[in-house]
Amino acid sequence: IYLRGIKCVQIPTSYLAAVDSSTGGKTAVDLPAGKNLAGAFHMPSLVICDTDCFKTLSKETFEDGVAESIKHGLIADADFFRFMLENDITENIEEVVRRNVEIKTSFVLGDEKDTGKRQMLNFGHTIGHAAEKVSNFALTHGHAVAIGMALVLRAQEKLGIGEAGMTEKLLAALKKYDLPSECPYSAEQLMSAALQDKKRTGDKINLVCLEKPGKAFLKPMNMEELEDIIRLGLE
C-alpha cells in the first residue's frame, strides 16, 4: 500500500514466512473485523532465506510453518506429504523449503490475484481464519490451519467425499509435529467469524476439499452448507 507499491525484498526469518507468505505477493494486516482484510497483491523483487534463522524459533513458531508444509503436500504432492510423515524435516530443511516454494509457485503462476487455481492454497484456511479471529488472534496461524484441515477432512469423510482414510493420515502428521486437531470453539462462533471471510462472495464461498492426498478441488457452497461442514467437523 505504501506509495502505491514500492519495490521490496522479502527476508523470511520464520519457517512459516519462508514456505508461505514470502513468495505469494499477498501483503495485508488483520483488522478487528477479520484476518488479512487490508492489503494488496504486490510481488517481492527478491526473496532471501537463511534457514539457520529457524534454529532461533520457538517450537510453536516453527510448527506454524509445518502446518503449511503439510497443506502443500496434501493439495499437490502426496510423496512430499509422505516424506514429512516419515522423516525429520529439520534434517533436510533446505530441500523442504525449496519444495514448498515450488508447490506454492505452481499455484500462484497464472493466478496472481487468487481468482481460480490459487484458491487451492486455502485448504484449511476458511475455518482456520475463523478460529484465529474467534481467539482474537491468540491462536497462531499454523495451529489454526491445522485445526481447519482436520475439520474439513472429518466432514468430508462423513459425507463420503474423497478417498477414505485421509483424516487418519492427516491426524498422524499433526500428532507427529504436535499440531492441534481439535477446535475449542463452537460452530456458531466459527460461522460468525466466517461470514467476514474475504473469500466469500455474497452467500457463496469456495471450500477447498481433497479428492486424495496430493489432489485438491474447489467445492462451491453457500454459507448454510459451510455451517453444516463445520458442525460435522466438530463432531
Side-chain angles (χ1 to χ4, degrees):
I1 290 175
Y2 184 65
L3 296 182
R4 294 180 181 164
I6 59 173
K7 288 186 178 180
C8 67
V9 174
Q10 293 273 15
I11 307 178
T13 55
S14 73
Y15 180 57
L16 174 60
V19 303
D20 187 30
S21 62
S22 65
T23 58
K26 288 184 178 179
T27 64
V29 295
D30 303 334
L31 299 179
K35 175 86 174 174
N36 291 342
L37 292 184
F41 289 92
H42 187 62
M43 292 294 178
S45 300
L46 177 69
V47 179
I48 301 171
C49 178
D50 182 352
T51 57
D52 284 345
C53 290
F54 306 157
K55 297 173 184 176
T56 70
L57 302 176
S58 69
K59 179 174 174 291
E60 181 186 63
T61 301
F62 185 80
E63 289 166 359
D64 280 325
V66 176
E68 292 285 357
S69 295
I70 290 171
K71 178 205 75 179
H72 284 150
L74 285 174
I75 66 171
D77 189 339
D79 289 337
F80 182 51
F81 174 71
R82 192 177 306 111
F83 175 84
M84 287 186 287
L85 197 53
E86 297 173 355
N87 297 274
D88 179 356
I89 63 172
T90 62
E91 295 177 0
N92 305 272
I93 197 65
E94 290 190 11
E95 287 302 318
V96 168
V97 170
R98 180 178 291 110
R99 185 60 190 135
N100 275 284
V101 172
E102 288 171 349
I103 291 171
K104 177 151 189 178
T105 302
S106 72
F107 285 98
V108 173
L109 289 176
D111 185 24
E112 182 181 336
K113 298 297 177 67
D114 206 9
T115 59
K117 175 184 176 183
R118 180 173 177 164
Q119 292 182 26
M120 242 70 102
L121 292 167
N122 291 326
F123 179 54
H125 283 56
T126 296
I127 298 173
H129 280 171
E132 280 184 87
K133 186 190 173 192
V134 173
S135 76
N136 199 26
F137 303 107
L139 184 64
T140 59
H141 179 68
H143 288 66
V145 168
I147 290 170
M149 291 190 293
L151 261 65
V152 169
L153 285 188
R154 283 196 195 101
Q156 271 195 228
E157 196 156 309
K158 290 171 182 175
L159 293 170
I161 299 171
E163 185 177 284
M166 289 191 292
T167 305
E168 183 180 355
K169 292 175 182 177
L170 170 62
L171 294 183
L174 297 181
K175 182 178 180 180
K176 175 177 180 176
Y177 293 104
D178 292 327
L179 285 161
S181 59
E182 302 295 333
C183 184
Y185 307 116
S186 68
E188 290 78 13
Q189 288 174 301
L190 293 175
M191 271 307 298
S192 177
L195 290 172
Q196 305 298 323
D197 195 300
K198 62 188 178 298
K199 298 180 291 297
R200 174 187 169 200
T201 303
D203 189 42
K204 302 291 184 182
I205 195 165
N206 284 328
L207 185 70
V208 186
C209 297
L210 293 188
E211 180 179 322
K212 60 182 180 180
K215 188 171 183 181
F217 67 96
L218 298 177
K219 186 173 176 59
M221 60 180 61
N222 59 42
M223 300 309 285
E224 288 182 359
E225 291 172 307
L226 177 62
E227 185 170 5
D228 290 339
I229 291 287
I230 290 173
R231 290 188 185 282
L232 283 172
L234 287 172
E235 290 176 357

